[in-house]
Amino acid sequence: MQRIKCIIAYDGSQFSGYQIQPNKRTVQGELEKALMKLHKGEMTKVYASGRTDAGVHAKGQVIHFDSALSIPAERWAVALNSLLPDEIAIFEVEQVEPSFHARFDVEAKEYRYFVYTGKLRDPFQRNFAYHYPYPLNLQAMQEASECLIGTHDFTSFCSAKTEVEDRIREIREIEIVETDGRLMFRFVGNGFLYNMVRIMVGTLLQVGSGDISPQEIPAILEKKDRTYAGKTAPPQGLYLWQVYYEKKL
Amino acid sequence: MQRIKCIIAYDGSQFSGYQIQPNKRTVQGELEKALMKLHKGEMTKVYASGRTDAGVHAKGQVIHFDSALSIPAERWAVALNSLLPDEIAIFEVEQVEPSFHARFDVEAKEYRYFVYTGKLRDPFQRNFAYHYPYPLNLQAMQEASECLIGTHDFTSFCSAKTEVEDRIREIREIEIVETDGRLMFRFVGNGFLYNMVRIMVGTLLQVGSGDISPQEIPAILEKKDRTYAGKTAPPQGLYLWQVYYEKKL
């Protein structure tokens, strides 16, 4: 048995999210279908660093699986890509120690969120950025983002449906930059709760619009109640950008 | 009656081309459906600068139509965009002389074609660029492109199905540039025959790969036979970029 780690990218717009679900087209479903073909009908379970929701993209999702096939690492990408739909690409494959686990060994993750701020809609960005054509105060957003950096209980910034008990997470970096007509939000943290990035972005956009002042952020965190934070930004702007397994930060 | 000229953009990936066809989703079909809603069920025919094939995009397609509605030019875009699918955007509207015709008055057109040359496929470019992961000799391609500039009979570079008799066209500019992992082909000409840009790109890629030498291009033009030119590049890399109505070139 070999444990295989892959870095994959996918365009999430036509998937019902990462995680396998009956009668839905999912990234995990497509990966396991491809592996089943390679393994002559035998099921191979795939483990990812975490799920992504419907419409959310990945530039650097990490998965692992075990295989008895003796394919050299560099051939795995070619074999899998030929069996996968064009919306998923395997771009790095590595044989790892059997103790490696794509989810449990995560040290940190980077998410990016793109907002298209042009006045008129852009058909080419509809699945890849959130169209928010309103004036934004970038400085206020940056001030607010600084209040989110650090170790906090993020209950106010996760879906009310979150079942995880421990909502304390450490956000190490938040960067907000303007790049050719788009706003890029970059988040690095040791872990993210359900909808956490999208709620932080939605809240920061409301700060940028003047609905919420940067000074309110610490109080919103204090409340530990989802209803105090801003809206959940839509999925199409979100990308799981990179997963870190060693403390590189 | 007002004659309205619009500049529109569309992501062609989910359309069966520009031109209306029964039981197919087309750009013209969506435009006329939106106009029918605005005109309380009355049919309004839309005229475009030309068709685009299934999968081909537009950044600056031009259309015109006539309307008895007294909507100021700046409100037309808002009204139409609200009735159109996200894949189509009206981004400039102007009331024009009743003698203006989106197709007959064309002075020149600009097309661009994007080739993604990365080794591994990129899920985010699958509908927006042609993936050609082979080494290319850019200088040979540029040499070959110079032989296509000028006024020629382009019979060898149009689909064998072309019904137009006069295949003489003037290509004013061809530019091939490398920009962040992509190759961009830019064509400006007074008119383009059916599949002409895609056949020129397909041929230039074969020049870049060494299958065809730049010196063969004049002979291929001379033959006036489609079978002598290279392959037809796929639609997803092609964009109708701009339509010129005055001699600006």
Side-chain angles (χ1 to χ4, degrees), chain A residues 17-57:
Chain A
Y18 173 80
Q19 198 178 38
I20 204 157
Q21 294 174 66
N23 307 315
K24 301 263 181 150
R25 196 166 173 268
T26 63
V27 179
Q28 187 186 357
E30 295 298 322
L31 291 167
E32 294 187 354
K33 214 183 340 175
L35 283 166
M36 190 173 270
K37 277 187 206 150
L38 268 185
H39 293 86
K40 318 272 177 220
E42 205 190 312
M43 165 73 192
T44 299
K45 193 163 157 48
V46 173
Y47 297 85
S49 74
R51 317 169 189 180
T52 51
D53 278 341
V56 173
H57 313 291

mmCIF file of all heavy atoms in Angstrom, chain A residues 17-57:
data_model
loop_
_atom_site.group_PDB
_atom_site.id
_atom_site.type_symbol
_atom_site.label_atom_id
_atom_site.label_comp_id
_atom_site.label_asym_id
_atom_site.label_seq_id
_atom_site.Cartn_x
_atom_site.Cartn_y
_atom_site.Cartn_z
ATOM 1 N N GLY A 17 -20.527 21.151 -4.361
ATOM 2 C CA GLY A 17 -19.552 21.159 -3.281
ATOM 3 C C GLY A 17 -18.531 20.046 -3.398
ATOM 4 O O GLY A 17 -18.578 19.225 -4.324
ATOM 5 N N TYR A 18 -17.584 20.026 -2.453
ATOM 6 C CA TYR A 18 -16.547 19.001 -2.475
ATOM 7 C C TYR A 18 -17.088 17.632 -2.059
ATOM 8 O O TYR A 18 -16.881 16.619 -2.717
ATOM 9 C CB TYR A 18 -15.364 19.384 -1.550
ATOM 10 C CG TYR A 18 -14.396 18.233 -1.471
ATOM 11 C CD1 TYR A 18 -13.477 18.023 -2.488
ATOM 12 C CD2 TYR A 18 -14.488 17.291 -0.445
ATOM 13 C CE1 TYR A 18 -12.655 16.911 -2.495
ATOM 14 C CE2 TYR A 18 -13.665 16.167 -0.454
ATOM 15 C CZ TYR A 18 -12.756 15.979 -1.474
ATOM 16 O OH TYR A 18 -11.968 14.862 -1.484
ATOM 17 N N GLN A 19 -17.785 17.610 -0.925
ATOM 18 C CA GLN A 19 -18.118 16.338 -0.283
ATOM 19 C C GLN A 19 -19.161 15.492 -1.027
ATOM 20 O O GLN A 19 -20.183 16.016 -1.483
ATOM 21 C CB GLN A 19 -18.641 16.598 1.124
ATOM 22 C CG GLN A 19 -18.597 15.349 1.986
ATOM 23 C CD GLN A 19 -19.071 15.617 3.398
ATOM 24 O OE1 GLN A 19 -20.013 16.385 3.623
ATOM 25 N NE2 GLN A 19 -18.427 14.987 4.357
ATOM 26 N N ILE A 20 -18.894 14.210 -1.087
ATOM 27 C CA ILE A 20 -19.780 13.276 -1.786
ATOM 28 C C ILE A 20 -21.191 13.301 -1.185
ATOM 29 O O ILE A 20 -21.366 13.429 0.024
ATOM 30 C CB ILE A 20 -19.144 11.858 -1.790
ATOM 31 C CG1 ILE A 20 -19.676 11.015 -2.940
ATOM 32 C CG2 ILE A 20 -19.299 11.149 -0.436
ATOM 33 C CD1 ILE A 20 -18.734 9.874 -3.334
ATOM 34 N N GLN A 21 -22.191 13.274 -2.071
ATOM 35 C CA GLN A 21 -23.595 13.235 -1.654
ATOM 36 C C GLN A 21 -24.322 12.386 -2.686
ATOM 37 O O GLN A 21 -24.023 12.471 -3.875
ATOM 38 C CB GLN A 21 -24.230 14.627 -1.735
ATOM 39 C CG GLN A 21 -23.700 15.662 -0.789
ATOM 40 C CD GLN A 21 -24.339 17.016 -1.104
ATOM 41 O OE1 GLN A 21 -25.535 17.219 -0.946
ATOM 42 N NE2 GLN A 21 -23.527 17.926 -1.613
ATOM 43 N N PRO A 22 -25.325 11.626 -2.250
ATOM 44 C CA PRO A 22 -26.046 10.787 -3.208
ATOM 45 C C PRO A 22 -26.728 11.633 -4.289
ATOM 46 O O PRO A 22 -27.308 12.677 -3.988
ATOM 47 C CB PRO A 22 -27.063 10.022 -2.352
ATOM 48 C CG PRO A 22 -27.002 10.607 -0.988
ATOM 49 C CD PRO A 22 -25.819 11.488 -0.881
ATOM 50 N N ASN A 23 -26.637 11.189 -5.528
ATOM 51 C CA ASN A 23 -27.291 11.836 -6.674
ATOM 52 C C ASN A 23 -26.851 13.268 -6.953
ATOM 53 O O ASN A 23 -27.573 14.016 -7.600
ATOM 54 C CB ASN A 23 -28.824 11.810 -6.545
ATOM 55 C CG ASN A 23 -29.341 10.413 -6.302
ATOM 56 O OD1 ASN A 23 -28.912 9.470 -6.959
ATOM 57 N ND2 ASN A 23 -30.234 10.255 -5.340
ATOM 58 N N LYS A 24 -25.676 13.667 -6.440
ATOM 59 C CA LYS A 24 -25.180 15.011 -6.735
ATOM 60 C C LYS A 24 -23.800 14.882 -7.359
ATOM 61 O O LYS A 24 -23.070 13.927 -7.081
ATOM 62 C CB LYS A 24 -25.056 15.838 -5.452
ATOM 63 C CG LYS A 24 -26.356 15.998 -4.706
ATOM 64 C CD LYS A 24 -27.015 17.309 -5.036
ATOM 65 C CE LYS A 24 -28.302 17.411 -4.248
ATOM 66 N NZ LYS A 24 -28.689 18.750 -3.915
ATOM 67 N N ARG A 25 -23.468 15.869 -8.174
ATOM 68 C CA ARG A 25 -22.145 15.900 -8.785
ATOM 69 C C ARG A 25 -21.217 16.650 -7.830
ATOM 70 O O ARG A 25 -21.387 17.833 -7.597
ATOM 71 C CB ARG A 25 -22.255 16.625 -10.126
ATOM 72 C CG ARG A 25 -21.073 16.406 -11.009
ATOM 73 C CD ARG A 25 -21.365 16.844 -12.444
ATOM 74 N NE ARG A 25 -20.151 16.764 -13.202
ATOM 75 C CZ ARG A 25 -19.308 17.778 -13.364
ATOM 76 N NH1 ARG A 25 -19.574 18.951 -12.885
ATOM 77 N NH2 ARG A 25 -18.183 17.609 -14.051
ATOM 78 N N THR A 26 -20.258 15.906 -7.272
ATOM 79 C CA THR A 26 -19.345 16.502 -6.296
ATOM 80 C C THR A 26 -17.901 16.219 -6.704
ATOM 81 O O THR A 26 -17.637 15.310 -7.490
ATOM 82 C CB THR A 26 -19.569 15.901 -4.889
ATOM 83 O OG1 THR A 26 -19.255 14.501 -4.935
ATOM 84 C CG2 THR A 26 -21.016 16.079 -4.414
ATOM 85 N N VAL A 27 -16.982 17.013 -6.151
ATOM 86 C CA VAL A 27 -15.565 16.823 -6.473
ATOM 87 C C VAL A 27 -15.097 15.469 -5.946
ATOM 88 O O VAL A 27 -14.471 14.681 -6.666
ATOM 89 C CB VAL A 27 -14.716 17.969 -5.880
ATOM 90 C CG1 VAL A 27 -13.235 17.747 -6.187
ATOM 91 C CG2 VAL A 27 -15.179 19.325 -6.423
ATOM 92 N N GLN A 28 -15.431 15.170 -4.691
ATOM 93 C CA GLN A 28 -15.031 13.881 -4.110
ATOM 94 C C GLN A 28 -15.613 12.728 -4.927
ATOM 95 O O GLN A 28 -14.924 11.730 -5.195
ATOM 96 C CB GLN A 28 -15.523 13.801 -2.656
ATOM 97 C CG GLN A 28 -15.004 12.564 -1.924
ATOM 98 C CD GLN A 28 -15.597 12.404 -0.531
ATOM 99 O OE1 GLN A 28 -16.366 13.261 -0.069
ATOM 100 N NE2 GLN A 28 -15.258 11.332 0.142
ATOM 101 N N GLY A 29 -16.860 12.870 -5.326
ATOM 102 C CA GLY A 29 -17.509 11.838 -6.142
ATOM 103 C C GLY A 29 -16.743 11.575 -7.432
ATOM 104 O O GLY A 29 -16.510 10.431 -7.813
ATOM 105 N N GLU A 30 -16.311 12.652 -8.096
ATOM 106 C CA GLU A 30 -15.565 12.500 -9.355
ATOM 107 C C GLU A 30 -14.193 11.869 -9.107
ATOM 108 O O GLU A 30 -13.726 11.042 -9.890
ATOM 109 C CB GLU A 30 -15.400 13.859 -10.051
ATOM 110 C CG GLU A 30 -16.717 14.489 -10.532
ATOM 111 C CD GLU A 30 -17.452 13.658 -11.571
ATOM 112 O OE1 GLU A 30 -16.796 13.062 -12.440
ATOM 113 O OE2 GLU A 30 -18.695 13.587 -11.492
ATOM 114 N N LEU A 31 -13.545 12.273 -8.007
ATOM 115 C CA LEU A 31 -12.234 11.707 -7.677
ATOM 116 C C LEU A 31 -12.355 10.209 -7.393
ATOM 117 O O LEU A 31 -11.565 9.403 -7.899
ATOM 118 C CB LEU A 31 -11.636 12.413 -6.452
ATOM 119 C CG LEU A 31 -11.192 13.868 -6.636
ATOM 120 C CD1 LEU A 31 -10.932 14.526 -5.274
ATOM 121 C CD2 LEU A 31 -9.928 13.951 -7.502
ATOM 122 N N GLU A 32 -13.352 9.832 -6.615
ATOM 123 C CA GLU A 32 -13.498 8.413 -6.260
ATOM 124 C C GLU A 32 -13.925 7.578 -7.470
ATOM 125 O O GLU A 32 -13.543 6.420 -7.595
ATOM 126 C CB GLU A 32 -14.443 8.261 -5.061
ATOM 127 C CG GLU A 32 -13.820 8.892 -3.805
ATOM 128 C CD GLU A 32 -14.594 8.671 -2.503
ATOM 129 O OE1 GLU A 32 -15.703 8.123 -2.541
ATOM 130 O OE2 GLU A 32 -14.063 9.078 -1.440
ATOM 131 N N LYS A 33 -14.701 8.196 -8.382
ATOM 132 C CA LYS A 33 -15.094 7.502 -9.601
ATOM 133 C C LYS A 33 -13.844 7.229 -10.468
ATOM 134 O O LYS A 33 -13.679 6.135 -10.999
ATOM 135 C CB LYS A 33 -16.097 8.371 -10.382
ATOM 136 C CG LYS A 33 -17.129 7.552 -11.107
ATOM 137 C CD LYS A 33 -18.138 8.301 -11.979
ATOM 138 C CE LYS A 33 -18.369 9.758 -11.734
ATOM 139 N NZ LYS A 33 -19.283 10.370 -12.735
ATOM 140 N N ALA A 34 -12.970 8.227 -10.580
ATOM 141 C CA ALA A 34 -11.741 8.067 -11.374
ATOM 142 C C ALA A 34 -10.850 6.993 -10.742
ATOM 143 O O ALA A 34 -10.302 6.130 -11.437
ATOM 144 C CB ALA A 34 -10.999 9.400 -11.473
ATOM 145 N N LEU A 35 -10.717 7.035 -9.407
ATOM 146 C CA LEU A 35 -9.874 6.042 -8.732
ATOM 147 C C LEU A 35 -10.462 4.635 -8.862
ATOM 148 O O LEU A 35 -9.730 3.650 -8.979
ATOM 149 C CB LEU A 35 -9.700 6.416 -7.256
ATOM 150 C CG LEU A 35 -8.701 7.550 -7.020
ATOM 151 C CD1 LEU A 35 -8.831 8.098 -5.599
ATOM 152 C CD2 LEU A 35 -7.263 7.057 -7.266
ATOM 153 N N MET A 36 -11.790 4.547 -8.872
ATOM 154 C CA MET A 36 -12.425 3.236 -9.030
ATOM 155 C C MET A 36 -12.092 2.638 -10.389
ATOM 156 O O MET A 36 -11.803 1.443 -10.509
ATOM 157 C CB MET A 36 -13.937 3.367 -8.848
ATOM 158 C CG MET A 36 -14.631 2.024 -8.766
ATOM 159 S SD MET A 36 -16.377 2.183 -8.352
ATOM 160 C CE MET A 36 -16.327 2.121 -6.573
ATOM 161 N N LYS A 37 -12.078 3.491 -11.423
ATOM 162 C CA LYS A 37 -11.708 3.002 -12.763
ATOM 163 C C LYS A 37 -10.260 2.506 -12.774
ATOM 164 O O LYS A 37 -9.977 1.443 -13.304
ATOM 165 C CB LYS A 37 -11.865 4.129 -13.800
ATOM 166 C CG LYS A 37 -13.305 4.276 -14.280
ATOM 167 C CD LYS A 37 -13.405 5.271 -15.431
ATOM 168 C CE LYS A 37 -14.808 5.888 -15.476
ATOM 169 N NZ LYS A 37 -14.793 7.262 -16.011
ATOM 170 N N LEU A 38 -9.384 3.274 -12.154
ATOM 171 C CA LEU A 38 -7.968 2.881 -12.103
ATOM 172 C C LEU A 38 -7.764 1.584 -11.327
ATOM 173 O O LEU A 38 -6.850 0.818 -11.614
ATOM 174 C CB LEU A 38 -7.136 3.974 -11.416
ATOM 175 C CG LEU A 38 -6.494 5.041 -12.274
ATOM 176 C CD1 LEU A 38 -5.636 5.944 -11.416
ATOM 177 C CD2 LEU A 38 -5.631 4.424 -13.386
ATOM 178 N N HIS A 39 -8.615 1.363 -10.312
ATOM 179 C CA HIS A 39 -8.469 0.185 -9.458
ATOM 180 C C HIS A 39 -9.438 -0.930 -9.856
ATOM 181 O O HIS A 39 -9.843 -1.725 -8.998
ATOM 182 C CB HIS A 39 -8.649 0.566 -7.981
ATOM 183 C CG HIS A 39 -7.551 1.440 -7.467
ATOM 184 N ND1 HIS A 39 -7.571 2.804 -7.589
ATOM 185 C CD2 HIS A 39 -6.380 1.148 -6.838
ATOM 186 C CE1 HIS A 39 -6.472 3.320 -7.059
ATOM 187 N NE2 HIS A 39 -5.729 2.334 -6.606
ATOM 188 N N LYS A 40 -9.830 -0.964 -11.122
ATOM 189 C CA LYS A 40 -10.666 -2.059 -11.663
ATOM 190 C C LYS A 40 -11.925 -2.301 -10.828
ATOM 191 O O LYS A 40 -12.220 -3.439 -10.442
ATOM 192 C CB LYS A 40 -9.874 -3.382 -11.742
ATOM 193 C CG LYS A 40 -8.453 -3.253 -12.241
ATOM 194 C CD LYS A 40 -8.401 -3.350 -13.750
ATOM 195 C CE LYS A 40 -6.975 -3.149 -14.274
ATOM 196 N NZ LYS A 40 -6.952 -2.341 -15.494
ATOM 197 N N GLY A 41 -12.594 -1.208 -10.470
ATOM 198 C CA GLY A 41 -13.877 -1.358 -9.777
ATOM 199 C C GLY A 41 -13.792 -1.383 -8.263
ATOM 200 O O GLY A 41 -14.828 -1.407 -7.582
ATOM 201 N N GLU A 42 -12.576 -1.342 -7.759
ATOM 202 C CA GLU A 42 -12.444 -1.357 -6.300
ATOM 203 C C GLU A 42 -12.525 0.068 -5.747
ATOM 204 O O GLU A 42 -11.931 0.996 -6.296
ATOM 205 C CB GLU A 42 -11.071 -1.959 -5.950
ATOM 206 C CG GLU A 42 -11.011 -2.584 -4.564
ATOM 207 C CD GLU A 42 -9.572 -2.922 -4.213
ATOM 208 O OE1 GLU A 42 -8.881 -3.535 -5.070
ATOM 209 O OE2 GLU A 42 -9.130 -2.561 -3.098
ATOM 210 N N MET A 43 -13.270 0.247 -4.665
ATOM 211 C CA MET A 43 -13.479 1.559 -4.054
ATOM 212 C C MET A 43 -12.222 2.049 -3.337
ATOM 213 O O MET A 43 -11.575 1.304 -2.606
ATOM 214 C CB MET A 43 -14.631 1.403 -3.054
ATOM 215 C CG MET A 43 -14.802 2.527 -2.065
ATOM 216 S SD MET A 43 -15.484 3.989 -2.891
ATOM 217 C CE MET A 43 -15.227 5.222 -1.616
ATOM 218 N N THR A 44 -11.875 3.315 -3.575
ATOM 219 C CA THR A 44 -10.753 3.954 -2.864
ATOM 220 C C THR A 44 -11.289 5.228 -2.226
ATOM 221 O O THR A 44 -11.772 6.114 -2.926
ATOM 222 C CB THR A 44 -9.626 4.327 -3.851
ATOM 223 O OG1 THR A 44 -9.165 3.133 -4.465
ATOM 224 C CG2 THR A 44 -8.473 5.022 -3.146
ATOM 225 N N LYS A 45 -11.227 5.326 -0.916
ATOM 226 C CA LYS A 45 -11.750 6.528 -0.276
ATOM 227 C C LYS A 45 -10.721 7.648 -0.333
ATOM 228 O O LYS A 45 -9.534 7.432 -0.147
ATOM 229 C CB LYS A 45 -12.149 6.230 1.175
ATOM 230 C CG LYS A 45 -12.980 7.363 1.783
ATOM 231 C CD LYS A 45 -13.721 6.962 3.035
ATOM 232 C CE LYS A 45 -14.057 8.179 3.887
ATOM 233 N NZ LYS A 45 -14.673 9.320 3.161
ATOM 234 N N VAL A 46 -11.227 8.850 -0.591
ATOM 235 C CA VAL A 46 -10.363 10.027 -0.698
ATOM 236 C C VAL A 46 -10.591 10.919 0.516
ATOM 237 O O VAL A 46 -11.735 11.181 0.904
ATOM 238 C CB VAL A 46 -10.687 10.810 -1.998
ATOM 239 C CG1 VAL A 46 -9.931 12.126 -2.040
ATOM 240 C CG2 VAL A 46 -10.372 9.969 -3.227
ATOM 241 N N TYR A 47 -9.509 11.373 1.122
ATOM 242 C CA TYR A 47 -9.577 12.283 2.270
ATOM 243 C C TYR A 47 -9.040 13.648 1.849
ATOM 244 O O TYR A 47 -7.948 13.729 1.277
ATOM 245 C CB TYR A 47 -8.751 11.733 3.433
ATOM 246 C CG TYR A 47 -9.281 10.410 3.930
ATOM 247 C CD1 TYR A 47 -8.888 9.213 3.312
ATOM 248 C CD2 TYR A 47 -10.207 10.356 4.980
ATOM 249 C CE1 TYR A 47 -9.405 7.993 3.732
ATOM 250 C CE2 TYR A 47 -10.716 9.143 5.406
ATOM 251 C CZ TYR A 47 -10.317 7.965 4.786
ATOM 252 O OH TYR A 47 -10.844 6.767 5.206
ATOM 253 N N ALA A 48 -9.799 14.704 2.145
ATOM 254 C CA ALA A 48 -9.371 16.052 1.771
ATOM 255 C C ALA A 48 -9.021 16.847 3.014
ATOM 256 O O ALA A 48 -9.376 16.476 4.139
ATOM 257 C CB ALA A 48 -10.483 16.749 1.002
ATOM 258 N N SER A 49 -8.354 17.995 2.805
ATOM 259 C CA SER A 49 -7.999 18.876 3.936
ATOM 260 C C SER A 49 -9.255 19.429 4.593
ATOM 261 O O SER A 49 -9.219 19.856 5.745
ATOM 262 C CB SER A 49 -7.136 20.029 3.430
ATOM 263 O OG SER A 49 -7.935 20.956 2.705
ATOM 264 N N GLY A 50 -10.349 19.429 3.872
ATOM 265 C CA GLY A 50 -11.627 19.931 4.369
ATOM 266 C C GLY A 50 -12.567 20.071 3.189
ATOM 267 O O GLY A 50 -12.151 19.911 2.045
ATOM 268 N N ARG A 51 -13.836 20.335 3.486
ATOM 269 C CA ARG A 51 -14.811 20.474 2.402
ATOM 270 C C ARG A 51 -14.785 21.883 1.841
ATOM 271 O O ARG A 51 -14.321 22.810 2.478
ATOM 272 C CB ARG A 51 -16.242 20.293 2.934
ATOM 273 C CG ARG A 51 -16.401 19.186 3.873
ATOM 274 C CD ARG A 51 -17.793 19.299 4.507
ATOM 275 N NE ARG A 51 -17.886 18.336 5.589
ATOM 276 C CZ ARG A 51 -18.951 18.167 6.350
ATOM 277 N NH1 ARG A 51 -20.023 18.932 6.157
ATOM 278 N NH2 ARG A 51 -18.950 17.276 7.294
ATOM 279 N N THR A 52 -15.357 22.017 0.666
ATOM 280 C CA THR A 52 -15.694 23.345 0.162
ATOM 281 C C THR A 52 -17.156 23.269 -0.276
ATOM 282 O O THR A 52 -17.624 22.216 -0.712
ATOM 283 C CB THR A 52 -14.806 23.764 -1.031
ATOM 284 O OG1 THR A 52 -14.824 22.726 -2.019
ATOM 285 C CG2 THR A 52 -13.356 24.001 -0.605
ATOM 286 N N ASP A 53 -17.862 24.375 -0.150
ATOM 287 C CA ASP A 53 -19.289 24.427 -0.494
ATOM 288 C C ASP A 53 -19.529 24.482 -2.003
ATOM 289 O O ASP A 53 -18.612 24.775 -2.766
ATOM 290 C CB ASP A 53 -19.917 25.683 0.126
ATOM 291 C CG ASP A 53 -20.284 25.453 1.585
ATOM 292 O OD1 ASP A 53 -20.399 24.284 1.995
ATOM 293 O OD2 ASP A 53 -20.453 26.453 2.309
ATOM 294 N N ALA A 54 -20.776 24.287 -2.378
ATOM 295 C CA ALA A 54 -21.170 24.415 -3.782
ATOM 296 C C ALA A 54 -20.759 25.792 -4.306
ATOM 297 O O ALA A 54 -20.993 26.805 -3.643
ATOM 298 C CB ALA A 54 -22.685 24.243 -3.915
ATOM 299 N N GLY A 55 -20.126 25.834 -5.456
ATOM 300 C CA GLY A 55 -19.739 27.108 -6.068
ATOM 301 C C GLY A 55 -18.391 27.637 -5.628
ATOM 302 O O GLY A 55 -17.873 28.576 -6.224
ATOM 303 N N VAL A 56 -17.820 27.036 -4.571
ATOM 304 C CA VAL A 56 -16.514 27.470 -4.066
ATOM 305 C C VAL A 56 -15.417 26.739 -4.856
ATOM 306 O O VAL A 56 -15.570 25.568 -5.194
ATOM 307 C CB VAL A 56 -16.384 27.193 -2.546
ATOM 308 C CG1 VAL A 56 -14.967 27.473 -2.048
ATOM 309 C CG2 VAL A 56 -17.420 28.003 -1.763
ATOM 310 N N HIS A 57 -14.342 27.455 -5.144
ATOM 311 C CA HIS A 57 -13.257 26.916 -5.959
ATOM 312 C C HIS A 57 -12.059 26.501 -5.111
ATOM 313 O O HIS A 57 -11.961 26.870 -3.944
ATOM 314 C CB HIS A 57 -12.797 27.981 -6.952
ATOM 315 C CG HIS A 57 -13.931 28.638 -7.663
ATOM 316 N ND1 HIS A 57 -14.702 27.971 -8.579
ATOM 317 C CD2 HIS A 57 -14.451 29.890 -7.559
ATOM 318 C CE1 HIS A 57 -15.638 28.789 -9.024
ATOM 319 N NE2 HIS A 57 -15.511 29.963 -8.421
#
